[in-house]
Amino acid sequence: MTRALLLVALLLGAGGAGFALSGPCGWAGQVAGGGGCLAAFALRDLVVTGGALATDAQGRPEQLRLSPDGTAMAISCNALYTCDLPGGNKPRQTRVMLFDRDGERRWFVGIEHRHAPPDADGRAFDLGFSPSGNVVFAHVAFDAASGQVILTRQHPSPDPNARLPAGAEIRPGATRLALDLPDGFIPFLRLDSARSPDGDRIAILARRFSGPGKLRAAIRIHDIASGRLLAAHDIDRELAPAILWHPQRDAVIVALAGTPAAGADSELRLYAAGAGE
Amino acid sequence: MRRGRLIAAAVAALALVGAAGLAAWQGSRTCGWIDRALGRSGCLGTVVYQGVVPSRNSIAQALGDGRAVMAVEMRTPDGWRPGLLVFDPETGAEGGRYPLPLRGGVARLFLSPDGTRLLIACGVIRQSCTESGGDAVVAQRDDLRVFADVPVEGRSLTAYPGTPTPPEEYSFEAVVAARGSRILAGGSTRPLVLLDADGSRIAELAKRDMSAFPAAVSASGIIARGEPGAPERGGDRLRFWDVQDGAELGRIEGSAGWRLRAPPFWSEDGASLFVPRGQRGAMLLDRFRAP
């Protein structure tokens, strides 16, 4: 009897330790279904097209964007969101790089802060693809194939990922959405968002600005037309501002905020966008 | 065997004596537990705010309800960023940490006379710091998440626009005190002087000192200033004067290593003085009883 009790206690302890060590997005957390996190992986292993997009990039991405056909991925980084690139991370530039579906880096460029000064959140411009995927907008317009500047004037990004002013109520279009965040959760000035590929849903990422509190970030997914809340994830880890809707899965990709330093890497996580995942 | 026990006991005793000495040394420093127990410096306690670093120009602004707000650097997921810390300095309770829509520099804070709006202006050196290139934003005191740009005249704003301010010739540091009956001018580039409302000098309080912090005047009429202490002491000091006649009321000499990080400020009733210090990415707030 005593041995059986000891064995049960041992198993419970091992299970608890395994969960604690692996975290809510670790193996034990996924078995338990905790936190809605589906997967954790590195930027170099970002899965976007069914296979692994093995980039040669490390870092904490500021913005992640996929081309409309899903064959290319653009990433921006700056002094806060580091990229490991040839020549290192330059503090007075926001850097943009483009990868093809095999993970080969086609090109990278730096946009000087004196040309595109970052705002109070550290963002210098909105990164995006043209509807055809041939042009990357990053303060100016770049040819997606070559990385050459094709329009030197500042160009508004047509990308559906937009930042929204943080407030009790947000308006992604005509609909008003009330963000259900706990009392005392004060986010950054702006919320990051990503629209689903069909344009019907919006994923909103709210990150706690600073200070104590277990909840560090929250993802809320709403139906845009009705405003109905479809999924809510409360996350107890600090996140970078990047959020991306997975092109094949019903899920969004976010990046953990590592140390803001050259050589820092960032773990990506996948969160379910609805009941289907 | 016995000799081994004796050595072990000696080592343990030595460790105990060392630990006791260290605790006594720590406790006897300004705001340490012995200092507080004996009431030597008048320190009543210290609260700690992790992930908060004030600067020399982080002047606390009372919010009129017992709370105060400071513009400081805060630890965020994106590194250290400028933000507003709302807190109750008496209890140490936090009322929130808010991001600032400003690019760099240390903001100056001014509460409107009716207590409903907080004006947040760029630092004196760095102007045009708002995202739209302006020099100041305004927010509701009870909702520091929504800001609007507001025009301000001049870079040497020392009070909420529309409220009494000293004439410009008294320099950017001058403030009106004692319900408009006194002007406190200078401090860093000029001597700290006390003037009456007509500009007649009452007293020179201190020599000019670029390392000194801006003085604060309590509701009960006491001027407090933080400044470097004597070099051999290795700590900063606080000095107090009467706002009516400029008479010096006392000093607190900080122990070695006791360094201010931001200007001291008073509780709204003038009963307590709060002194911000820094320690490894945290702000320590020492509370002193008024002299």
Side-chain angles (χ1 to χ4, degrees), chain A residues 19 33 82 99 109 137 199 235:
Chain A
F19 185 85
T82 51
F99 297 93
V109 295
F137 294 106
I235 300 163

Short mmCIF file of all heavy atoms in Angstrom, two decimals, chain A residues 19 33 82 99 109 137 199 235:
data_model
loop_
_atom_site.label_atom_id
_atom_site.label_comp_id
_atom_site.label_asym_id
_atom_site.label_seq_id
_atom_site.Cartn_x
_atom_site.Cartn_y
_atom_site.Cartn_z
N PHE A 19 5.97 18.91 -16.92
CA PHE A 19 5.16 20.04 -17.42
C PHE A 19 5.85 21.36 -17.14
O PHE A 19 5.94 22.23 -18.00
CB PHE A 19 3.78 20.02 -16.77
CG PHE A 19 2.86 21.05 -17.31
CD1 PHE A 19 2.12 20.82 -18.47
CD2 PHE A 19 2.75 22.30 -16.71
CE1 PHE A 19 1.28 21.78 -18.99
CE2 PHE A 19 1.92 23.27 -17.22
CZ PHE A 19 1.17 23.02 -18.36
N GLY A 33 -2.82 20.13 -23.42
CA GLY A 33 -3.63 21.12 -24.14
C GLY A 33 -3.63 22.48 -23.51
O GLY A 33 -4.53 23.27 -23.69
N THR A 82 16.46 42.13 -33.26
CA THR A 82 17.73 41.91 -33.94
C THR A 82 17.64 40.84 -35.01
O THR A 82 16.90 39.87 -34.90
CB THR A 82 18.79 41.50 -32.92
OG1 THR A 82 18.26 40.41 -32.15
CG2 THR A 82 19.12 42.65 -32.01
N PHE A 99 13.17 35.94 -47.95
CA PHE A 99 13.54 34.54 -48.13
C PHE A 99 12.59 33.89 -49.13
O PHE A 99 11.41 34.23 -49.18
CB PHE A 99 13.42 33.78 -46.81
CG PHE A 99 14.36 34.28 -45.75
CD1 PHE A 99 13.94 35.24 -44.85
CD2 PHE A 99 15.65 33.80 -45.67
CE1 PHE A 99 14.80 35.72 -43.88
CE2 PHE A 99 16.51 34.27 -44.69
CZ PHE A 99 16.08 35.23 -43.81
N VAL A 109 18.32 44.50 -47.09
CA VAL A 109 18.62 45.93 -47.23
C VAL A 109 18.48 46.58 -45.85
O VAL A 109 17.86 46.03 -44.94
CB VAL A 109 17.64 46.64 -48.21
CG1 VAL A 109 17.81 46.12 -49.62
CG2 VAL A 109 16.20 46.49 -47.74
N PHE A 137 6.99 46.45 -49.80
CA PHE A 137 6.96 47.82 -49.29
C PHE A 137 7.65 47.86 -47.92
O PHE A 137 7.27 47.12 -47.00
CB PHE A 137 5.52 48.31 -49.16
CG PHE A 137 4.82 48.43 -50.48
CD1 PHE A 137 3.85 47.52 -50.86
CD2 PHE A 137 5.14 49.46 -51.35
CE1 PHE A 137 3.21 47.62 -52.08
CE2 PHE A 137 4.51 49.57 -52.57
CZ PHE A 137 3.53 48.65 -52.94
N GLY A 199 -9.66 36.92 -45.16
CA GLY A 199 -10.04 38.28 -44.78
C GLY A 199 -11.21 38.37 -43.83
O GLY A 199 -11.62 39.48 -43.48
N ILE A 235 -1.16 34.51 -22.53
CA ILE A 235 0.21 33.99 -22.64
C ILE A 235 1.07 34.57 -21.53
O ILE A 235 1.06 35.78 -21.31
CB ILE A 235 0.78 34.34 -24.04
CG1 ILE A 235 -0.10 33.72 -25.13
CG2 ILE A 235 2.22 33.89 -24.18
CD1 ILE A 235 0.10 34.30 -26.49
#
